[in-house]
Amino acid sequence: MGFGAVRALQRSVGNAAVSQVVGQPRAVVQRATVAPAGGGPVVNLDDGDRKNSREAILYISGSYVYKMYTKEATANSVLSEMEKASGLGVPVPAWTSYKANYDPQDGTRAKQVTVIRSKKVDGTFFQLSKGGGAKTFINAIQGMSDVTRMRRIRNQLVAAREAGISDPQGMISNDPREGVMFFLDIHTGGTGSGLDELISAVDKKIDDFTP
């Protein structure tokens, strides 16, 4: 196959397909590495794992979410909010943090970062500051019939309200064994605005299943 034909295929179907056509499989290139400063396994992250974020270098890979901060003070502030909320009973995905060397392998310099690695949660995402956020939550609980689970969710909503979670957003887990919801991007010091509507919706569901 001539060079011109290959270039035409690149424009029409992309490099992966061209590699298959010309019989030369393209090597999988790891776009970034995260090497813990204290030693331990190096994490390899593909370019497709990176997500848009205004506050951090963000990757979602496998079972984890990696948020990396170049400013230690910012990372410490985020960790402080997570610890405060968790201590008040707000469900937050399990996390760990560590210093690391982040190399994007894109020609730019490696960076010293603080990594906050948390468990990825699958489920229904809601954000009350976005249009339809409350409706998304209410629709998600309509299919639930486990009263014990509903009561746990209610307790978690109340904890978030009392903690003053601002811009409440989170995930209702798809896993009945967890039986919980999780709050994400934690910020306290607000009023928990909007959570009363969710608590009322949960109360109604509990009443429907309570003799």
Side-chain angles (χ1 to χ4, degrees), residues 58-81:
L58 173 63
Y59 287 81
I60 300 178
S61 179
S63 300
Y64 297 104
V65 175
Y66 297 86
K67 283 189 173 183
M68 292 174 275
Y69 299 85
T70 55
K71 295 182 179 180
E72 186 174 0
T74 303
N76 288 341
S77 176
V78 172
L79 286 168
S80 176
E81 290 283 75

Side-chain angles (χ1 to χ4, degrees), residues 118-167:
S118 58
K119 179 184 176 184
K120 184 180 76 171
V121 181
D122 294 316
T124 301
F125 176 76
F126 67 94
Q127 184 172 2
L128 299 190
S129 63
K130 303 295 184 182
K135 185 177 180 180
T136 297
F137 176 93
I138 293 169
N139 287 343
I141 66 171
Q142 292 310 307
M144 297 183 186
S145 58
D146 185 335
V147 174
T148 299
R149 187 182 187 200
M150 295 300 300
R151 286 174 175 152
R152 290 179 65 186
I153 289 176
R154 186 190 192 283
N155 290 339
Q156 291 154 359
L157 289 170
V158 170
R161 182 183 63 188
E162 294 179 352
I165 296 294
S166 57
D167 188 18

Side-chain angles (χ1 to χ4, degrees), residues 145-204:
S145 58
D146 185 335
V147 174
T148 299
R149 187 182 187 200
M150 295 300 300
R151 286 174 175 152
R152 290 179 65 186
I153 289 176
R154 186 190 192 283
N155 290 339
Q156 291 154 359
L157 289 170
V158 170
R161 182 183 63 188
E162 294 179 352
I165 296 294
S166 57
D167 188 18
Q169 56 185 291
M171 196 81 73
I172 303 173
S173 173
N174 284 336
D175 188 346
R177 293 173 300 178
E178 292 179 335
V180 294
M181 57 185 295
F182 295 93
F183 282 86
L184 310 173
D185 291 336
I186 302 294
H187 299 283
T188 61
T191 61
S193 177
L195 290 171
D196 283 337
E197 181 180 359
L198 306 191
I199 293 169
S200 294
V202 173
D203 283 340
K204 185 176 185 306

Side-chain angles (χ1 to χ4, degrees), residues 79-116:
L79 286 168
S80 176
E81 290 283 75
M82 294 169 65
E83 290 167 355
K84 176 183 176 182
S86 180
L88 293 171
V90 179
V92 181
W95 79 88
T96 186
S97 65
Y98 55 91
K99 301 290 191 297
N101 184 70
Y102 165 69
D103 185 354
Q105 298 189 9
D106 60 0
T108 61
R109 296 178 61 182
K111 302 176 177 67
Q112 300 300 309
V113 297
T114 299
V115 181
I116 300 178

